[in-house]
Amino acid sequence: MTGRVLEGIRAVEFGQFYVGPYTSEALAYFGAEVIKVESIRRPDPTRWFGSTGGPDPKIIILTDPNKSVGFNELNLNKLSVNLDLTKPKAVELAKKIAEVSDVIVENNRPGVLDRLGLSYEAIREVKPDIIYLSASCRGSTGPERNYAGFAPIFGSLGGLSEITGYADGPPAPPIGGRTDIVCGTANAFSIITALIHREMTGKGQYIDNSDSEVISCLVWDTIMDYNLNGRIQTRRGNKDDIFAPHDCYRCKGEDDWISIAISNDEEWRAFAGAIGNPDWAKEERFQDAYLRKKNEEELDRLISQWTISHTKYEVMDILQKAGVAAVHSFSSKDFFSDPHLKERGAFTEVEHPVIGRLTVMNPPWKLSATPAEIVRHAPLFGEHNNYVFGELLGMSQEEIKALMDEQVIY
Amino acid sequence: MADKALEGVKVLEYASFVTGPYCSKLLADLGAEVIKIERPGGGDEARCRGPFLNDIPHPERSGLFLYLNTNKLGITLDPETQTGKKIFLELLKWADILIEDKPPREMEGIGLTYDKLKEINPQLIMTSITPFGQFGPYQDYKAYNLNIPHGAGGGYLTPGGSPNAEREPLKGGGFFDDHIAGLSAATVTVIAFYHRIKTGSGQHVDVSKQEALMALNRTEITNYPNMDTIATRVVGSSALGRRPPPCQNGYVQIAALLDWHWVSFKEFMGNPRWAQDTKFDTLDGRSEYGNEMNDNIEEWTRGHTKEEIFHGLQGRGVPTAMICNAAEVMSSPQYEERGFFVEVEHPEMGKVVCPRGLGILSRTPWALEHPAPLLGQHNREVYTRLLGYTREDMVRMREAGVI
């Protein structure tokens, strides 16, 4: 086995919440050394977010920056140093780290790092071929550059919320970090292409990513409908324009569901056979895609009558064996008893020095030559001050101690 | 002329519909030379899906296909015929990267496994994108755009903050989830290419759409083993986004997550009496009393327009959105100013607006230089110029249904 692809690449992260941290976590999966810069005055806020756990979880604010399970999941494989960037000496140290690095990742409000003296131009002076990525809700230029937003915000601005939800219900903004991680992936993609370009030409660059633009790119077919036909698409649950059945059907159990999609007559016949060829499935009104879509409501009702008497696992098994696209709606619990994911090694464990043993999700890709992998827990707050300032920048223990006393390394 | 990040990278695409084509589009828009293989006859499935220009179905007028296949060369080829397979292998020698989305068994059936292909091109990067990956008990399972987000846990969480536990889980709108899998595949493909630059070695990259989408729900999913928590559509991870409050002309979304956001928000509402209750002063409290807070917020939002709330609150630093539909996305002054809208001239559809790409790269910008190919548009260029067939060969191959 060869080494990991990005071994030897060093990235500095001035990140917070999800987008910036996941961007550099994706690089760290491939062996990049990611140094996360935080201060006790302004740690990554995710360090403070915990959950009460249990069946009705609530957000709780932690008092120990090393106890957040969510922070661990988003900052695996990284190192952490402390710098209070409101102090000029700390900014100089950040630049020294940048000088021996290849990539900068930041997702502060546009202008924040510029004011601190850590703009792309400032870093380029000390490291001419730096690849510097800024990610923000609306991008770093334009009249709305200072507008901030988490996932539900840029998901809504980008056009996703309007088209997600029940046909008779309100828009459904993406709650949680899902679209953040999408944007983090887009950022990682841009950074890697910039690394390829640097490898070929020796030149770095500045990358300005807007989270809401990323979302719009991923729903562009619906926006295209407006451009071509003046149609404003809206919510339609799980439904499809053409095909039926195409929905989630209730199964035996509590909040258990199966998604079934049938896209041609062959699959329809296979489906009918798999459920025992009931009389209704032979009726003329269900015999081609047009008719099935036209009589969808009745079709859905009849299918539900069958699914409700089986578990979601049974339905998935019966229908997939017949060649029908049926996948149950996984709850977070289901992932850990699934034989397929077990064989593919979707999860692993890390030993966190403060929290203890934690399950984490492996990177979503399997590469035959260069593994993406999790090698360590998320860093404790300031865990690598000695390594980075001592080993990497060559400072003495006395110097480091003095800067800690001055609350520069803080 | 600006540099192109992926100049000179040669990609063969044997994929259809959304995910595989979007993956190679992301490479093509950054300068890679992509040859897209479509089956003779109907071609890519996306050609049969709308939106169509003026709602008239036509294989050369699908907006979905046009968007997903910009900057590519298009040829027709049936690799399941003997001659077609021979040509496929000739193209494979030319390629640095193969993007394919066929079921593992189908590729094996026509003798196009990675082990076989690397004998022909040892440096090949082969990115295989399938619903459940190349191995494991579900490797041959079928899943469409609907099924993947449900198999990845996103469905179970959507719509977040649902008041009704009796209703079904939902997929994301449009083909959102299929695009994400394509983006994920493109990301790992460029990583593999970077590796090849460094070491000269190719490899097989196995992308499971299920896992690509599971990655998005990583914190909710791992909260189960770590916290004994099962997040659902009803019991979410955040009371702050319960559901978007309705306003005079649509909906908004407000995320007053941090304490100072809350202070600004209260001020903007005119410091109403209910908001003075100190129980709302902390995130703990706003989470605990989320329903009461959101009911009050809704009463206030109903009296305002979404533009007022969006610009007003963002002007005070509070993360806020108006829920934008396609028309509002298209009329965004922010997008306009940043050059997000790019016109592509298509021979059958005329001028069509596409988005610039996933961000602004200062030295290697995205460029939409060519529209999606017509079916078989580049057959002559590829078969005669690149592979050295004669025009007579082409006629015979067409008659035989190979191309």
Side-chain angles (χ1 to χ4, degrees), chain A residues 53 109 138 141 144 147-148 164 166 178 205-206 208-209 212-213 216-217 229 231 238 255 259 267 320 330 338 340 344 359 361 365-366 368-370, chain B residues 52 54-55 67 132 138 142 144 150 158 168-169 171 173 184 195 203-204 206 211 217-218 226 229 233 311 314 317 334-335 338 356 360 362-364:
Chain A
R109 273 191 208 234
R138 297 297 261 166
T141 60
E144 294 171 16
Y147 286 15
T164 304
Y166 300 116
R178 267 169 284 156
Q205 59 182 311
Y206 177 66
D208 169 16
N209 274 12
S212 48
E213 288 176 3
S216 294
C217 286
N229 299 310
R231 181 180 299 110
N238 287 311
D255 201 16
S259 66
E267 289 174 352
Q320 286 285 0
F330 280 65
D338 187 80
H340 180 75
R344 289 183 63 81
T359 298
M361 192 181 289
W365 313 287
K366 304 262 181 287
S368 63
T370 50
Chain B
F52 296 105
N54 300 326
D55 282 331
Y67 172 54
F132 293 97
Y138 304 162
K142 242 187 214 179
Y144 296 118
H150 290 295
T158 307
E168 70 278 15
K171 72 180 194 69
S184 182
H195 176 71
Q203 59 185 314
H204 192 196
D206 171 7
E211 286 158 52
N217 307 311
R218 58 191 319 120
N226 296 328
T229 295
R233 308 176 288 298
H311 297 294
Q314 282 284 10
Q334 174 69 9
Y335 279 7
R338 283 171 58 79
R356 175 220 314 118
I360 300 175
S362 64
R363 192 172 286 278
T364 54

Coordinates of all heavy atoms in Angstrom, one line a residue, chain A residues 53 109 138 141 144 147-148 164 166 178 205-206 208-209 212-213 216-217 229 231 238 255 259 267 320 330 338 340 344 359 361 365-366 368-370, chain B residues 52 54-55 67 132 138 142 144 150 158 168-169 171 173 184 195 203-204 206 211 217-218 226 229 233 311 314 317 334-335 338 356 360 362-364:
Chain A
G53 N -28.9 13.9 24.4 CA -29.1 12.5 24.0 C -30.5 12.1 24.4 O -31.4 12.8 24.7
R109 N -17.1 35.4 8.2 CA -17.8 36.4 7.4 C -16.7 37.1 6.5 O -15.6 37.4 7.0 CB -18.4 37.5 8.3 CG -19.8 37.1 8.7 CD -20.5 38.3 9.3 NE -21.5 37.7 10.3 CZ -22.8 38.0 10.3 NH1 -23.3 38.9 9.4 NH2 -23.6 37.5 11.2
R138 N -22.8 33.9 0.8 CA -23.1 34.6 -0.5 C -21.9 34.9 -1.3 O -22.0 35.5 -2.3 CB -23.9 35.9 -0.2 CG -25.2 35.7 0.5 CD -26.2 34.9 -0.4 NE -27.2 35.7 -1.1 CZ -27.9 35.2 -2.1 NH1 -27.8 34.0 -2.4 NH2 -28.8 36.0 -2.7
T141 N -17.8 38.8 -2.6 CA -18.1 40.0 -3.3 C -19.6 40.2 -3.5 O -20.3 39.3 -3.2 CB -17.5 40.0 -4.8 OG1 -18.1 38.9 -5.5 CG2 -15.9 39.8 -4.7
E144 N -24.5 41.5 -1.2 CA -24.9 40.7 0.0 C -23.8 39.9 0.6 O -24.0 38.9 1.2 CB -26.1 39.7 -0.4 CG -27.4 40.5 -0.8 CD -28.5 39.6 -1.4 OE1 -28.4 38.4 -1.3 OE2 -29.4 40.2 -2.0
Y147 N -23.9 39.0 4.2 CA -25.0 38.3 4.7 C -24.5 36.9 5.2 O -23.8 36.2 4.5 CB -26.1 38.1 3.6 CG -26.9 39.3 3.4 CD1 -26.5 40.6 3.8 CD2 -28.1 39.2 2.7 CE1 -27.3 41.7 3.5 CE2 -28.9 40.3 2.4 CZ -28.5 41.6 2.8 OH -29.2 42.7 2.6
A148 N -24.9 36.5 6.4 CA -24.4 35.3 6.9 C -25.5 34.2 6.9 O -26.7 34.5 6.7 CB -24.0 35.5 8.4
T164 N -38.5 21.4 -1.7 CA -38.5 20.3 -0.8 C -39.6 20.4 0.2 O -39.8 21.4 0.8 CB -37.1 20.2 -0.1 OG1 -36.1 20.2 -1.0 CG2 -37.0 19.0 0.8
Y166 N -43.7 18.5 1.6 CA -45.0 17.9 1.2 C -45.7 18.9 0.2 O -45.5 20.1 0.3 CB -45.9 17.7 2.4 CG -45.3 16.7 3.4 CD1 -45.0 17.2 4.7 CD2 -45.0 15.4 3.0 CE1 -44.5 16.3 5.6 CE2 -44.5 14.5 4.0 CZ -44.2 15.0 5.3 OH -43.6 14.1 6.2
R178 N -26.5 19.0 6.8 CA -26.4 18.3 5.5 C -25.9 19.1 4.4 O -24.9 18.7 3.7 CB -27.7 17.7 5.1 CG -27.9 16.3 5.6 CD -29.4 15.9 5.4 NE -30.2 16.5 6.4 CZ -31.5 16.7 6.3 NH1 -32.1 16.4 5.3 NH2 -32.1 17.3 7.3
Q205 N -3.6 30.1 -6.0 CA -4.7 31.0 -6.3 C -5.7 31.2 -5.1 O -5.6 30.6 -4.1 CB -5.5 30.5 -7.5 CG -6.1 29.1 -7.4 CD -6.8 28.7 -8.7 OE1 -7.5 29.5 -9.3 NE2 -6.5 27.5 -9.2
Y206 N -6.6 32.2 -5.4 CA -7.6 32.5 -4.4 C -9.0 31.9 -4.9 O -9.3 32.0 -6.1 CB -7.8 34.0 -4.3 CG -8.9 34.4 -3.3 CD1 -8.8 34.1 -1.9 CD2 -10.0 35.1 -3.8 CE1 -9.8 34.5 -1.1 CE2 -11.0 35.4 -2.9 CZ -10.9 35.1 -1.5 OH -11.9 35.5 -0.7
D208 N -13.0 31.7 -4.1 CA -14.1 32.4 -3.4 C -15.4 31.6 -3.7 O -16.0 31.6 -4.7 CB -14.2 33.8 -4.0 CG -15.5 34.5 -3.6 OD1 -16.1 34.1 -2.6 OD2 -15.8 35.5 -4.2
N209 N -15.8 30.8 -2.7 CA -17.0 29.9 -2.8 C -18.2 30.5 -2.1 O -18.0 30.9 -0.9 CB -16.7 28.5 -2.4 CG -16.1 27.7 -3.5 OD1 -15.7 28.2 -4.6 ND2 -16.0 26.4 -3.3
S212 N -24.5 29.4 -1.2 CA -25.9 29.4 -1.9 C -25.7 29.2 -3.4 O -26.6 28.5 -4.0 CB -26.6 30.7 -1.6 OG -25.8 31.9 -1.8
E213 N -24.6 29.6 -4.0 CA -24.3 29.3 -5.4 C -24.2 27.7 -5.6 O -24.6 27.2 -6.5 CB -23.1 30.0 -5.9 CG -23.3 31.5 -6.1 CD -22.0 32.2 -6.5 OE1 -21.0 31.6 -6.7 OE2 -22.1 33.5 -6.6
S216 N -27.5 26.2 -5.6 CA -28.3 26.5 -6.9 C -27.7 25.6 -8.0 O -28.5 25.1 -8.8 CB -28.1 28.0 -7.3 OG -28.7 28.8 -6.4
C217 N -26.4 25.3 -8.0 CA -25.9 24.5 -9.1 C -26.5 23.1 -9.0 O -26.6 22.4 -10.0 CB -24.4 24.4 -8.9 SG -23.5 25.8 -9.5
N229 N -39.3 27.6 -19.7 CA -40.8 27.6 -19.8 C -41.5 28.5 -18.9 O -42.7 28.6 -18.9 CB -41.3 26.1 -19.5 CG -40.7 25.1 -20.5 OD1 -40.8 25.3 -21.7 ND2 -40.1 24.1 -20.0
R231 N -41.9 28.2 -15.9 CA -42.5 27.5 -14.8 C -41.8 27.6 -13.5 O -40.5 27.4 -13.5 CB -42.7 26.0 -15.2 CG -43.4 25.2 -14.1 CD -43.6 23.7 -14.5 NE -44.3 23.6 -15.7 CZ -43.9 23.2 -16.9 NH1 -42.6 22.9 -17.0 NH2 -44.6 23.1 -18.0
N238 N -42.3 13.1 -2.4 CA -41.4 12.2 -3.0 C -41.7 11.9 -4.5 O -41.1 11.0 -5.1 CB -41.5 10.8 -2.3 CG -40.8 10.9 -0.9 OD1 -39.7 11.3 -0.8 ND2 -41.6 10.4 0.1
D255 N -42.9 4.2 12.7 CA -42.2 5.1 11.9 C -41.2 4.4 10.9 O -40.1 4.8 10.7 CB -41.5 6.2 12.7 CG -41.1 7.4 11.9 OD1 -41.7 7.6 10.8 OD2 -40.3 8.2 12.3
S259 N -39.1 3.1 0.5 CA -39.2 3.9 -0.8 C -39.3 3.0 -1.9 O -38.4 2.0 -2.0 CB -38.0 4.9 -0.9 OG -36.8 4.2 -1.0
E267 N -40.4 -3.5 -14.7 CA -40.3 -3.4 -13.2 C -41.7 -3.6 -12.6 O -41.8 -4.1 -11.5 CB -39.7 -2.1 -12.8 CG -38.2 -2.1 -13.1 CD -37.5 -0.7 -12.8 OE1 -38.3 0.3 -12.5 OE2 -36.3 -0.6 -12.9
Q320 N -36.2 -6.1 -4.0 CA -34.9 -6.1 -4.6 C -34.6 -7.4 -5.3 O -34.0 -7.4 -6.4 CB -33.8 -5.7 -3.6 CG -33.8 -4.3 -3.2 CD -33.2 -3.3 -4.2 OE1 -32.8 -3.7 -5.3 NE2 -33.2 -2.0 -3.9
F330 N -33.8 4.7 6.1 CA -32.9 4.3 7.3 C -33.0 5.4 8.4 O -32.8 6.6 8.1 CB -31.4 4.3 6.8 CG -31.0 3.1 6.1 CD1 -31.5 2.7 4.9 CD2 -30.0 2.2 6.7 CE1 -31.1 1.5 4.2 CE2 -29.6 1.1 6.0 CZ -30.1 0.7 4.8
D338 N -26.9 -2.9 9.7 CA -27.1 -3.2 8.3 C -25.9 -4.1 7.8 O -24.8 -3.7 7.9 CB -27.2 -1.9 7.5 CG -27.5 -2.2 6.0 OD1 -28.7 -2.4 5.7 OD2 -26.6 -2.2 5.2
H340 N -24.8 -4.9 4.8 CA -24.1 -4.3 3.7 C -23.1 -3.3 4.2 O -21.9 -3.3 3.8 CB -25.1 -3.6 2.7 CG -24.4 -3.0 1.5 ND1 -23.9 -3.8 0.5 CD2 -24.2 -1.7 1.2 CE1 -23.4 -2.9 -0.4 NE2 -23.5 -1.7 0.0
R344 N -18.9 -3.2 4.2 CA -18.2 -2.1 3.5 C -17.4 -1.3 4.5 O -16.7 -0.4 4.1 CB -19.1 -1.3 2.7 CG -19.6 -2.0 1.4 CD -20.5 -1.2 0.5 NE -19.8 0.0 0.0 CZ -19.0 0.0 -1.1 NH1 -18.8 -1.2 -1.7 NH2 -18.5 1.1 -1.5
T359 N -17.8 6.2 18.1 CA -18.0 5.7 16.7 C -18.0 6.9 15.8 O -18.6 7.9 16.0 CB -19.4 5.0 16.6 OG1 -19.3 3.9 17.5 CG2 -19.6 4.5 15.2
M361 N -18.0 8.1 11.3 CA -18.2 7.6 10.0 C -17.0 7.6 9.2 O -16.3 8.7 9.1 CB -19.3 8.4 9.4 CG -19.9 7.8 8.1 SD -21.2 8.8 7.3 CE -22.5 8.6 8.5
W365 N -15.6 7.1 0.4 CA -15.0 6.6 -0.8 C -14.1 5.4 -0.6 O -13.3 5.4 0.4 CB -14.2 7.7 -1.6 CG -14.9 9.0 -1.7 CD1 -16.0 9.3 -2.5 CD2 -14.6 10.2 -0.9 NE1 -16.4 10.6 -2.3 CE2 -15.6 11.2 -1.3 CE3 -13.7 10.6 0.0 CZ2 -15.6 12.5 -0.8 CZ3 -13.7 11.8 0.5 CH2 -14.6 12.8 0.1
K366 N -14.0 4.5 -1.5 CA -13.1 3.4 -1.4 C -12.1 3.5 -2.6 O -12.5 3.3 -3.8 CB -13.8 2.0 -1.5 CG -14.9 1.9 -0.4 CD -14.4 1.1 0.7 CE -15.5 0.9 1.8 NZ -15.8 2.1 2.6
S368 N -8.6 2.1 -4.4 CA -7.8 0.9 -4.3 C -6.3 1.1 -4.0 O -5.7 0.3 -3.4 CB -7.9 0.1 -5.7 OG -7.3 0.9 -6.7
A369 N -5.8 2.3 -4.3 CA -4.4 2.5 -4.1 C -4.1 3.5 -2.9 O -3.0 3.4 -2.3 CB -3.7 3.0 -5.3
T370 N -4.9 4.4 -2.7 CA -4.6 5.5 -1.7 C -5.8 5.7 -0.8 O -6.7 6.4 -1.1 CB -4.4 6.8 -2.5 OG1 -5.5 7.0 -3.4 CG2 -3.1 6.8 -3.2
Chain B
F52 N -38.2 20.4 -21.0 CA -37.9 20.6 -22.4 C -38.3 22.1 -22.8 O -39.2 22.6 -22.2 CB -38.8 19.7 -23.2 CG -38.5 18.2 -23.0 CD1 -39.3 17.4 -22.2 CD2 -37.3 17.6 -23.5 CE1 -39.0 16.1 -22.0 CE2 -37.0 16.3 -23.3 CZ -37.9 15.5 -22.5
N54 N -40.1 24.9 -24.3 CA -41.5 25.0 -24.6 C -42.3 23.8 -24.3 O -43.3 23.5 -24.9 CB -41.7 25.4 -26.1 CG -41.0 26.7 -26.4 OD1 -40.9 27.6 -25.5 ND2 -40.4 26.8 -27.6
D55 N -41.8 23.0 -23.4 CA -42.5 21.7 -22.9 C -42.8 20.7 -24.1 O -43.6 19.9 -24.0 CB -43.9 22.1 -22.3 CG -43.7 22.6 -20.9 OD1 -42.8 22.2 -20.2 OD2 -44.6 23.4 -20.4
Y67 N -27.8 20.9 -19.3 CA -27.0 21.4 -18.2 C -25.9 20.4 -17.8 O -24.8 20.8 -17.5 CB -28.0 21.6 -17.0 CG -27.3 21.9 -15.7 CD1 -26.4 23.0 -15.6 CD2 -27.5 21.2 -14.5 CE1 -25.7 23.3 -14.4 CE2 -26.9 21.5 -13.4 CZ -26.0 22.5 -13.3 OH -25.3 22.8 -12.1
F132 N -25.0 1.2 -4.5 CA -24.4 0.6 -3.2 C -23.0 0.2 -3.3 O -22.5 -0.5 -2.4 CB -25.3 -0.5 -2.7 CG -26.7 -0.1 -2.4 CD1 -27.8 -0.2 -3.3 CD2 -27.0 0.4 -1.1 CE1 -29.1 0.2 -2.9 CE2 -28.3 0.8 -0.8 CZ -29.3 0.7 -1.7
Y138 N -25.6 -5.7 -1.0 CA -26.5 -4.9 -1.8 C -25.9 -4.5 -3.1 O -26.4 -3.6 -3.8 CB -27.0 -3.7 -1.1 CG -27.6 -3.9 0.3 CD1 -27.8 -2.8 1.2 CD2 -28.1 -5.1 0.7 CE1 -28.4 -3.0 2.4 CE2 -28.7 -5.3 1.9 CZ -28.9 -4.3 2.8 OH -29.4 -4.4 4.0
K142 N -31.0 -2.2 -6.9 CA -31.4 -1.1 -7.7 C -31.8 0.1 -6.8 O -32.4 -0.1 -5.8 CB -32.6 -1.4 -8.5 CG -32.4 -1.4 -10.0 CD -33.7 -1.6 -10.7 CE -33.5 -2.4 -12.0 NZ -34.8 -2.7 -12.6
Y144 N -33.0 4.4 -7.4 CA -33.2 5.6 -8.2 C -33.0 6.8 -7.3 O -32.8 6.7 -6.1 CB -34.5 5.6 -9.0 CG -34.7 4.5 -10.0 CD1 -35.7 3.6 -9.9 CD2 -33.8 4.4 -11.1 CE1 -35.8 2.5 -10.8 CE2 -33.9 3.4 -12.0 CZ -35.0 2.4 -11.9 OH -35.1 1.4 -12.8
H150 N -33.3 8.1 0.9 CA -33.9 7.3 2.0 C -32.9 6.3 2.5 O -32.9 6.1 3.7 CB -35.2 6.7 1.5 CG -36.3 7.7 1.2 ND1 -36.8 8.5 2.3 CD2 -36.8 8.2 0.1 CE1 -37.7 9.3 1.8 NE2 -37.7 9.2 0.5
T158 N -36.3 14.4 6.9 CA -36.9 15.5 6.1 C -38.4 15.3 6.0 O -38.8 14.1 5.8 CB -36.3 15.4 4.7 OG1 -34.9 15.5 4.8 CG2 -36.8 16.6 3.8
E168 N -44.9 10.7 5.8 CA -43.7 10.0 5.3 C -42.5 10.8 5.2 O -42.5 12.0 5.1 CB -44.1 9.4 3.8 CG -44.2 10.5 2.8 CD -45.5 11.2 2.7 OE1 -46.3 11.1 3.6 OE2 -45.8 11.9 1.7
P169 N -41.3 10.1 5.3 CA -40.0 10.8 5.1 C -39.9 11.3 3.7 O -40.6 10.7 2.8 CB -39.0 9.7 5.4 CG -39.7 8.5 5.8 CD -41.2 8.7 5.5
K171 N -37.5 12.9 0.2 CA -36.3 13.1 -0.5 C -36.1 14.6 -0.6 O -37.0 15.4 -0.4 CB -36.3 12.5 -1.9 CG -37.2 13.1 -2.9 CD -37.1 12.4 -4.2 CE -37.7 13.2 -5.3 NZ -37.0 14.4 -5.7
G173 N -35.6 18.1 -3.0 CA -36.3 18.5 -4.2 C -35.5 18.2 -5.5 O -34.2 18.1 -5.4
S184 N -19.6 14.4 -5.2 CA -18.7 13.5 -4.3 C -17.8 12.7 -5.2 O -16.6 12.6 -4.9 CB -19.6 12.7 -3.4 OG -18.9 11.9 -2.6
H195 N -3.0 12.0 -7.3 CA -2.1 10.9 -6.9 C -1.3 10.4 -8.1 O -0.2 10.1 -8.1 CB -3.0 9.7 -6.3 CG -2.2 8.5 -6.0 ND1 -1.3 8.4 -5.0 CD2 -2.2 7.3 -6.6 CE1 -0.8 7.2 -4.9 NE2 -1.3 6.5 -5.9
Q203 N -5.8 3.9 -10.4 CA -6.5 3.0 -9.4 C -8.0 3.0 -9.7 O -8.5 3.6 -10.5 CB -6.3 3.5 -8.0 CG -6.7 5.0 -7.7 CD -6.3 5.4 -6.3 OE1 -6.5 4.7 -5.3 NE2 -5.8 6.6 -6.2
H204 N -8.7 2.1 -8.9 CA -10.1 1.9 -9.0 C -10.7 2.7 -7.9 O -10.4 2.5 -6.7 CB -10.5 0.5 -9.0 CG -11.9 0.2 -9.4 ND1 -12.6 -1.0 -9.1 CD2 -12.8 1.0 -10.0 CE1 -13.8 -0.9 -9.6 NE2 -14.0 0.3 -10.1
D206 N -14.2 3.4 -5.9 CA -15.6 2.8 -5.7 C -16.4 3.8 -5.0 O -16.2 4.1 -3.8 CB -15.4 1.5 -4.9 CG -16.7 0.9 -4.4 OD1 -17.7 1.3 -4.8 OD2 -16.6 -0.1 -3.6
E211 N -23.3 5.8 0.4 CA -22.3 6.3 1.4 C -22.0 7.8 1.1 O -21.8 8.6 2.0 CB -21.1 5.5 1.3 CG -21.3 4.1 2.0 CD -20.3 3.0 1.6 OE1 -19.1 3.3 1.6 OE2 -20.8 1.9 1.2
N217 N -25.1 13.2 6.6 CA -25.9 13.0 7.9 C -25.0 12.5 9.0 O -25.5 11.9 9.9 CB -27.1 12.1 7.6 CG -27.9 12.6 6.4 OD1 -28.2 13.8 6.3 ND2 -28.1 11.7 5.5
R218 N -23.7 12.7 8.8 CA -22.7 12.0 9.7 C -23.0 12.3 11.2 O -22.9 11.5 12.0 CB -21.3 12.3 9.3 CG -20.9 13.7 9.3 CD -19.6 13.9 8.6 NE -18.6 12.9 9.0 CZ -18.1 12.0 8.2 NH1 -18.3 12.1 6.9 NH2 -17.3 11.1 8.6
N226 N -23.2 7.0 19.8 CA -22.4 7.8 20.8 C -23.3 8.4 21.9 O -22.9 8.6 23.0 CB -21.7 8.9 20.1 CG -20.6 8.3 19.2 OD1 -20.0 7.3 19.5 ND2 -20.3 9.0 18.1
T229 N -29.1 8.6 20.6 CA -30.1 9.6 20.1 C -30.6 9.1 18.7 O -29.7 8.8 17.9 CB -29.5 11.0 20.0 OG1 -29.2 11.4 21.3 CG2 -30.4 11.9 19.3
R233 N -37.6 13.3 11.7 CA -38.2 14.6 11.2 C -38.8 15.4 12.2 O -38.9 16.6 12.1 CB -39.3 14.2 10.1 CG -38.8 13.2 9.1 CD -39.9 12.8 8.2 NE -40.9 11.9 8.7 CZ -40.7 10.7 9.2 NH1 -39.5 10.2 9.3 NH2 -41.7 10.0 9.7
H311 N -33.6 41.3 4.2 CA -32.6 42.3 4.2 C -32.5 43.0 5.6 O -31.4 43.4 6.0 CB -32.9 43.3 3.1 CG -32.8 42.7 1.7 ND1 -31.7 42.3 1.2 CD2 -33.8 42.5 0.8 CE1 -31.9 41.8 0.0 NE2 -33.2 41.9 -0.3
Q314 N -30.6 40.5 8.0 CA -29.2 40.3 7.5 C -28.4 41.6 7.7 O -27.3 41.6 8.1 CB -29.2 39.9 6.1 CG -29.5 38.4 5.8 CD -28.3 37.5 6.2 OE1 -27.3 37.9 6.8 NE2 -28.5 36.2 5.9
G317 N -27.0 41.5 11.0 CA -26.1 40.4 11.2 C -26.8 39.1 11.6 O -26.1 38.1 12.0
Q334 N -27.4 39.7 -6.2 CA -26.1 39.1 -5.7 C -25.5 38.2 -6.8 O -24.3 38.3 -7.1 CB -26.3 38.4 -4.4 CG -25.1 37.7 -3.9 CD -24.0 38.6 -3.4 OE1 -24.2 39.8 -3.3 NE2 -22.9 38.0 -3.0
Y335 N -26.3 37.3 -7.3 CA -25.8 36.4 -8.3 C -25.4 37.1 -9.6 O -24.4 36.8 -10.2 CB -26.9 35.4 -8.7 CG -27.1 34.2 -7.7 CD1 -26.3 34.1 -6.5 CD2 -27.9 33.1 -8.0 CE1 -26.5 33.0 -5.7 CE2 -28.1 32.1 -7.1 CZ -27.4 32.0 -6.0 OH -27.5 31.0 -5.1
R338 N -22.1 38.8 -9.2 CA -20.9 37.9 -9.2 C -20.8 37.1 -10.5 O -19.9 36.2 -10.5 CB -21.1 36.9 -8.0 CG -20.8 37.6 -6.7 CD -21.2 36.7 -5.5 NE -20.5 35.4 -5.5 CZ -19.3 35.1 -5.1 NH1 -18.5 36.1 -4.7 NH2 -18.8 33.9 -5.1
R356 N -22.5 29.5 -13.4 CA -21.0 29.6 -13.7 C -20.3 28.3 -13.2 O -19.5 27.7 -13.9 CB -20.5 30.8 -12.9 CG -19.0 30.9 -13.0 CD -18.4 31.4 -11.7 NE -19.0 32.5 -11.0 CZ -19.6 32.4 -9.8 NH1 -19.6 31.2 -9.2 NH2 -20.1 33.4 -9.3
I360 N -15.6 30.7 -7.5 CA -14.8 31.5 -8.3 C -13.3 31.2 -8.0 O -12.8 31.5 -7.0 CB -15.0 33.0 -8.1 CG1 -16.5 33.4 -8.4 CG2 -14.1 33.9 -9.0 CD1 -16.9 34.8 -8.1
S362 N -9.6 32.1 -8.9 CA -9.0 33.3 -9.5 C -8.1 33.0 -10.7 O -8.1 33.7 -11.7 CB -8.2 34.1 -8.5 OG -7.1 33.3 -8.0
R363 N -7.4 31.9 -10.7 CA -6.5 31.6 -11.8 C -7.0 30.6 -12.8 O -6.7 30.6 -14.0 CB -5.2 31.1 -11.2 CG -4.0 31.1 -12.2 CD -2.7 30.7 -11.5 NE -2.2 31.9 -10.8 CZ -1.5 32.9 -11.4 NH1 -1.3 32.9 -12.7 NH2 -1.0 33.8 -10.6
T364 N -7.9 29.7 -12.3 CA -8.4 28.7 -13.2 C -9.9 28.6 -13.2 O -10.5 27.7 -12.6 CB -7.9 27.3 -12.8 OG1 -8.2 27.0 -11.4 CG2 -6.4 27.1 -13.0

